[in-house]
């Protein structure tokens, strides 16, 4: 009788223990899944926010660059009305930048990040105001007055644009870092829940296997979100090729590679001819489609270790490793016939042995691009490094 009672109590204790373990496994699984869901939502919000911040930084840099080019146009006596494609591009960039600022403001910013955004937007609005006044001075008066207005733009407006861009870059780093911390926290929470699940699931193997599979799928989705977040920071969202930030990094590496190997690399800048007219005729959606098609067509003709990047607007930059100027010209001539709808491009290319900085190489390719436009567009102009040394 006493033995039967002890057996009964033992059975009851075992059942109770199993029930407690199963309940603990279910609770730990629920906590892990809940943490994963919140983490996924936070990651998605962070990815969208980072995309908007990166777009705002790119647009701010583009607007500042266009304003400098407009100042040069005014000094050269070029028209400053809508017939100048850079005027329309400048206003379109400002509109897009304001929209990017607004989307960023609606995102999940903390107080410090929101203050950074407000300072960046305020600095850029002051830049636009000062640049507008300076542009008015550039359009009238003597050449001395125009030079004074241009110097004022460089001394006053340009630092404001650089200040705004740097603040946006700081905001970008903060958002990206917080997104990484969010991902790590979510992953840690899910990992802890998985450990508890394994510990409690020894008495209910089937339930443990089902829940482990669920958690594994959740972790795979989280890993995919992390990959997409990293990709957003490197790839231009419209064309699918790398963005200006990656280009700057890879160009420096490419020049160092050329210096070490003794094999020159070629750098090219491509600008789609009359892109504004194409947009006005066919609409912005067709213009976006043309940019995507152009980027992918060029990328398909490059070697695996070569690089094409969206440089800004309708401009692309190309880096060809171990390629001299003669072979680069042959490649660019082949690319000219690959654009759809009869579209053409102007390009400037140069070669380097890696003994100069990236800024000098890009400046030489940019000068060759302007020569191609001055010669009537629809062509590629080469700028050998020897010419630069002779000119110097």
């Amino acid at each position: 009788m006493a033995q039967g009672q002890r057996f009964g109590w033992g059975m009851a204790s075992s059942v109770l223990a199993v029930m407690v373990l199963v309940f603990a496994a279910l609770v730990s699984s629920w906590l892990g899944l809940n943490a994963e869901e919140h983490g996924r939502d936070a990651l998605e919000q962070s990815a969208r926010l980072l995309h908007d911040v990166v777009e705002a930084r790119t647009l701010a840099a583009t607007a500042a660059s266009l304003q400098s080019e407009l100042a040069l146009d005014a000094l050269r006596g070029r028209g400053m009305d809508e017939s100048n494609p850079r005027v329309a591009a400048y206003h379109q960039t400002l509109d897009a930048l304001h929209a990017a600022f607004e989307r960023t403001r609606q995102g999940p910013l903390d107080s410090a990040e929101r203050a950074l955004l407000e300072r960046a937007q305020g600095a850029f609005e002051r830049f636009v105001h000062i640049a507008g006044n300076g542009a008015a001075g550039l359009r009238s008066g003597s050449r001395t007055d125009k030079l004074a207005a241009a110097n004022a733009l460089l001394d006053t407006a340009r630092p404001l644009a650089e200040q705004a861009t740097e603040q946006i870059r700081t905001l970008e780093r903060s958002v990206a870092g917080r997104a990484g911390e969010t991902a790590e926290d979510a992953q840690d929470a899910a990992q802890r829940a998985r450990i508890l699940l394994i510990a409690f699931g020894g008495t209910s193997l089937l339930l443990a296997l089902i829940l482990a599979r669920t958690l594994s799928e959740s972790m795979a989705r989280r890993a995919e979100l992390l990959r997409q977040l990293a990709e957003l920071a490197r790839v231009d969202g419209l064309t699918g090729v790398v963005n200006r930030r990656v280009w700057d990094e890879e160009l420096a590496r490419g020049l160092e590679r050329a210096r070490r190997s003794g094999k020159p690399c070629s750098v090219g800048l491509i600008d789609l001819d009359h892109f504004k007219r194409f947009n006005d005729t066919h609409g912005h959606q067709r213009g976006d489609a043309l940019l995507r098609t152009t980027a992918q067509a060029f990328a398909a003709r490059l070697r695996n270790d070569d690089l094409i990047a969206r440089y800004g607007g309708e401009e692309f930059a190309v880096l060809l490793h171990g390629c001299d100027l003669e072979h680069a010209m042959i490649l660019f001539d082949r690319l000219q016939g690959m654009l759809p709808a009869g579209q053409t491009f102007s390009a400037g290319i140069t070669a380097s042995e890696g003994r100069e900085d990236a800024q000098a190489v890009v400046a030489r390719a940019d000068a060759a691009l302007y020569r191609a436009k001055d010669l009537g567009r629809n062509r590629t102009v080469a700028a050998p490094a020897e010419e630069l040394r002779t000119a110097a």
Side-chain angles (χ1 to χ4, degrees), residues 181-204:
E181 291 174 358
T182 300
E184 290 177 1
D185 290 343
Q187 187 170 2
D188 289 344
Q191 185 66 22
R192 287 193 298 270
R194 189 176 183 183
I195 293 173
L196 288 174
L197 174 62
I198 294 173
F200 294 137
T203 57
S204 54

Side-chain angles (χ1 to χ4, degrees), residues 15-152:
V15 170
L16 180 60
V18 169
M19 291 177 63
V20 169
L21 289 171
V22 170
F23 178 77
L26 289 173
V27 170
S28 65
S29 301
W30 178 82
L31 290 174
L33 291 173
N34 190 54
E36 185 274 333
E37 182 178 358
H38 285 295
R40 182 174 67 249
D41 292 341
L43 277 175
E44 290 174 349
Q45 289 182 347
S46 297
R48 289 193 296 269
L49 177 61
L50 182 58
H51 180 272
D52 291 336
V53 173
V54 171
E55 183 178 7
R57 176 176 57 77
T58 302
L59 289 168
T62 301
S65 177
L66 285 170
Q67 180 55 246
S68 298
E69 292 173 0
L70 287 172
L72 290 175
D73 284 348
L75 288 174
R76 294 168 180 164
R78 295 182 180 176
M80 299 300 291
D81 53 20
E82 290 299 325
S83 63
N84 187 333
R86 274 194 281 269
V87 172
Y90 177 69
H91 291 301
Q92 290 174 359
T93 302
L94 288 183
D95 291 341
L97 178 58
H98 289 149
F101 276 138
E102 186 58 31
R103 289 195 303 274
T104 302
R105 184 176 291 104
Q106 300 302 320
L109 298 172
D110 61 28
S111 58
E113 292 167 347
R114 198 167 297 277
L116 272 173
L117 177 63
E118 295 297 334
R119 289 198 297 271
Q121 188 170 8
F124 203 83
E125 287 174 354
R126 293 196 298 276
F127 161 77
V128 172
H129 177 73
I130 294 173
N133 293 337
L138 289 170
R139 289 194 292 267
S140 60
S142 65
R143 181 163 183 81
T144 301
D145 294 336
K146 291 181 178 181
L147 287 173
N151 288 331

Side-chain angles (χ1 to χ4, degrees), residues 261-283:
S261 67
K263 297 179 180 179
C265 64
S266 291
V267 174
L269 294 180
I270 298 171
D271 185 272
L272 299 187
D273 293 331
H274 306 296
F275 183 71
K276 180 181 181 299
R277 186 169 65 192
F278 184 94
N279 262 343
D280 293 341
T281 302
H282 302 287

